[in-house]
Amino acid sequence: IASGHTKMVLITGCSSGIGLSLAVMLAKDEKKRYRVIATMRDLNRKDKLVEAAGDAYGKTLSLAVLDVCNDESVKQCVNDIKGRHVDILINNAGIGIVGPVESITIEEMQAVFETNVFGVIRMIKEVMPDMKKRRAGHIIVISSVLGVQSVGFHDVYAASKFAIEGFCESLAVQLMMFNIKLSLIEPGPVRTDFEIKMIQEVKERECPGADPETVHYFKNLYLPSAINIFLAVGQTPKEISKHIKKVMETSKPSFRNLTNSLYAPIVALKYADESGDLSVNFFYHMLFNLGPVLHYTVIAMRFLSFGFLKNHSVSPK
């Protein structure tokens, strides 16, 4: 494992979803190119990961406690790595939030930013000085297509992803001087039981502070459409993990990497019109005028793409 060909990979948020899938995929790499440190806040949630890792657990994959919202936890985790040597940092830990902005408290918003923005920055600040000294390293941030183009009712989540994209856009320029790569991964919907369950639970929740008309559009138009979109065009954590692995193994990875090519036209709307009117009007009509038929639109999108496009990736250029 100490071989010069083996890269030390530190991944945050590995108890489920993309983090779990990616940690296992890298640990089981046929060429044994990676030594993976899979982290999570609570090691009581390790069972799924340990089971999926199988024989790799304890060999090419080890576990560590890490809370990206805690300075001491971050420092302790990196200090416990031999020589503090991290070749690839994968910032995957994140939390989602959806709903009318009036019904989300400032405290809830701050919690999203604490993980999705400051958690990522905290990790980067901890490993970056050592990478600079070695003039080598790769920092990967799991962002979202919502960090490029937002949609209704994702105001706070999108704001957190826009923030980290802006941070990384500036940092990438500085890191080039030190031969350090920085890559943003921008998935669309991720198809997991947890995501679907979360959306269904949100539908049952009250929306205190929001007017009845907004609540109606959110619960009766947006949420059913969101579930249909998840089921029709969502990617699995494994599909996204394959894309991340490909970015890791490319000698000159792109800065921005959309994982779902079905979202390329939506991102293109933003780049096509500097006034922003095109994308704002498109999403308005899609939600408020086409809401009842959006389900069929999504099915048509999938059919017209022959079902295979979502497995290919593009960068918005």
Side-chain angles (χ1 to χ4, degrees):
I1 284 171
S3 157
H5 298 294
T6 305
K7 291 188 173 175
M8 185 65 79
V9 184
L10 178 61
I11 311 176
T12 67
C14 294
S15 60
S16 64
I18 296 169
L20 186 153
S21 171
L22 181 62
V24 171
M25 186 178 288
L26 296 179
K28 289 185 173 181
D29 178 62
E30 287 180 6
K31 297 178 184 174
K32 295 200 174 358
R33 288 171 288 184
Y34 306 107
R35 172 78 168 83
V36 180
I37 301 171
T39 72
M40 58 189 76
R41 279 185 304 179
D42 181 5
L43 284 185
N44 289 324
R45 298 183 64 201
K46 70 182 180 184
D47 294 353
K48 276 188 185 175
L49 175 62
V50 171
E51 185 185 344
D55 293 343
Y57 179 59
K59 295 175 184 171
T60 52
L61 184 140
S62 59
L63 292 179
V65 178
L66 173 62
D67 179 359
V68 299
C69 298
N70 183 292
D71 289 352
E72 282 309 308
S73 178
V74 168
K75 188 171 285 296
Q76 186 65 54
C77 180
V78 176
N79 281 344
D80 287 345
I81 299 167
K82 189 177 178 182
R84 290 176 50 91
H85 187 115
V86 177
D87 293 296
I88 303 169
L89 168 66
I90 300 174
N91 294 284
N92 168 69
I95 55 175
I97 194 164
V98 61
V101 73
E102 304 99 314
S103 66
I104 301 170
T105 67
I106 293 294
E107 287 74 22
E108 288 172 317
M109 296 181 191
Q110 286 172 331
V112 171
F113 270 74
E114 190 58 55
T115 298
N116 294 1
V117 181
F118 297 112
V120 174
I121 293 172
R122 208 174 263 115
M123 292 304 303
I124 291 174
K125 277 169 65 72
E126 194 61 39
V127 304
M128 188 172 63
D130 295 301
M131 286 183 172
K132 280 184 170 182
K133 283 175 193 167
R134 294 196 311 272
R135 293 193 170 260
H138 194 174
I139 296 168
I140 294 175
V141 176
I142 312 302
S143 177
S144 168
V145 70
L146 292 176
V148 184
Q149 172 63 65
S150 188
V151 297
F153 299 115
H154 281 277
D155 328 71
V156 178
Y157 179 75
S160 73
K161 293 301 184 180
F162 264 70
I164 205 61
E165 291 241 346
F167 176 85
C168 290
E169 205 169 80
S170 172
L171 189 62
V173 176
Q174 302 163 57
L175 291 180
M176 283 183 81
M177 292 184 291
F178 295 90
N179 193 39
I180 300 168
K181 297 174 231 174
L182 198 162
S183 304
L184 288 164
I185 308 291
E186 297 163 335
V190 186
R191 202 165 63 240
T192 65
D193 293 338
F194 172 78
E195 299 286 348
I196 299 295
K197 190 181 171 196
M198 184 186 80
I199 290 175
Q200 287 167 339
E201 282 175 0
V202 166
K203 192 168 186 179
E204 304 302 316
R205 255 183 247 154
E206 297 296 315
C207 295
D211 60 274
E213 194 176 356
T214 299
V215 174
H216 163 71
Y217 278 117
F218 174 59
K219 290 194 172 184
N220 301 322
L221 283 182
Y222 174 76
L223 285 180
S225 299
I227 291 172
N228 289 331
I229 288 169
F230 268 94
L231 295 173
V233 301
Q235 290 177 300
T236 63
K238 188 175 181 182
E239 287 176 299
I240 294 166
S241 296
K242 281 181 182 173
H243 185 89
I244 297 167
K245 191 168 186 278
K246 196 173 169 185
V247 170
M248 289 168 60
E249 291 166 3
T250 302
S251 58
K252 292 184 178 177
S254 297
F255 172 61
R256 282 196 169 89
N257 301 271
L258 281 176
T259 69
N260 193 329
S261 59
L262 287 176
Y263 280 79
I266 290 171
V267 172
L269 286 176
K270 180 169 185 168
Y271 290 103
D273 174 21
E274 71 276 9
S275 77
D277 292 342
L278 188 62
S279 54
V280 170
N281 290 331
F282 170 79
F283 285 112
Y284 172 81
H285 289 299
M286 192 169 80
L287 179 60
F288 295 105
N289 294 339
L290 300 177
V293 296
L294 187 57
H295 172 55
Y296 301 103
T297 307
V298 167
I299 292 171
M301 268 175 74
R302 196 179 186 195
F303 175 74
L304 290 171
S305 303
F306 306 107
F308 71 85
L309 267 178
K310 68 187 180 76
N311 294 322
H312 290 67
S313 57
V314 294
S315 294
K317 288 176 182 170

Coordinates of all heavy atoms in Angstrom, one line a residue, residues 24 32 57 89 108 169 175 238 249 255 268 301:
V24 N -16.4 2.2 -2.1 CA -16.3 0.8 -2.4 C -15.7 0.5 -3.8 O -14.8 -0.3 -4.0 CB -17.7 0.1 -2.3 CG1 -17.7 -1.3 -2.9 CG2 -18.2 0.1 -0.9
K32 N -5.6 -2.0 -7.9 CA -5.3 -1.6 -6.6 C -4.5 -0.3 -6.5 O -3.5 -0.2 -5.9 CB -4.5 -2.7 -5.9 CG -5.3 -4.0 -5.7 CD -4.7 -4.9 -4.6 CE -5.5 -6.1 -4.2 NZ -6.7 -6.4 -4.8
Y57 N -12.5 -4.2 2.9 CA -12.5 -3.6 4.2 C -11.3 -4.1 5.0 O -11.1 -5.3 5.2 CB -13.8 -3.9 4.9 CG -13.9 -3.2 6.3 CD1 -13.7 -1.9 6.5 CD2 -14.0 -4.0 7.4 CE1 -13.8 -1.3 7.7 CE2 -14.1 -3.4 8.7 CZ -14.0 -2.1 8.8 OH -14.0 -1.5 10.1
L89 N -8.6 14.4 -2.5 CA -9.7 14.7 -1.5 C -11.0 14.8 -2.2 O -11.1 15.5 -3.2 CB -9.4 16.1 -0.8 CG -10.6 16.7 0.0 CD1 -10.9 15.8 1.2 CD2 -10.3 18.1 0.4
E108 N -32.1 26.7 9.8 CA -32.0 25.5 8.8 C -31.1 25.9 7.6 O -30.4 25.1 7.2 CB -33.4 25.2 8.4 CG -34.3 24.5 9.4 CD -35.7 24.3 9.0 OE1 -36.3 25.3 8.4 OE2 -36.3 23.3 9.2
E169 N -14.1 28.2 -8.3 CA -13.7 28.9 -9.6 C -12.5 29.8 -9.3 O -11.6 29.8 -10.2 CB -14.9 29.7 -10.0 CG -14.9 29.9 -11.5 CD -16.3 30.5 -12.0 OE1 -16.4 31.8 -11.8 OE2 -17.1 29.8 -12.5
L175 N -4.6 27.3 -7.7 CA -3.9 26.0 -7.5 C -3.2 25.5 -8.7 O -2.3 24.7 -8.6 CB -5.0 25.0 -7.2 CG -5.7 25.1 -5.8 CD1 -6.7 24.0 -5.6 CD2 -4.6 25.1 -4.7
K238 N -24.0 4.6 -8.3 CA -23.0 3.9 -9.0 C -22.6 4.6 -10.3 O -21.4 4.7 -10.7 CB -23.4 2.4 -9.3 CG -22.3 1.5 -9.8 CD -22.7 0.1 -10.0 CE -21.6 -0.8 -10.5 NZ -22.0 -2.2 -10.7
E249 N -9.1 9.7 -13.1 CA -8.1 9.0 -13.9 C -7.7 9.7 -15.2 O -6.9 9.2 -16.0 CB -8.6 7.6 -14.1 CG -8.6 6.8 -12.8 CD -9.3 5.5 -12.9 OE1 -9.8 5.1 -13.9 OE2 -9.4 4.8 -11.8
F255 N -12.7 21.3 -15.4 CA -13.0 21.9 -14.1 C -14.5 21.6 -13.7 O -14.8 21.2 -12.6 CB -12.8 23.4 -14.2 CG -13.3 24.2 -13.0 CD1 -12.8 24.0 -11.8 CD2 -14.4 25.1 -13.1 CE1 -13.3 24.7 -10.6 CE2 -14.9 25.8 -12.0 CZ -14.3 25.6 -10.8
A268 N -27.4 24.9 -20.9 CA -27.1 25.7 -22.1 C -28.0 26.9 -22.2 O -27.7 28.0 -22.7 CB -27.3 24.9 -23.4
M301 N -38.7 13.1 -22.8 CA -37.3 13.5 -22.8 C -36.4 12.2 -22.8 O -35.5 12.0 -23.5 CB -36.9 14.3 -21.5 CG -37.0 15.8 -21.7 SD -36.7 16.5 -20.0 CE -35.0 16.3 -19.8

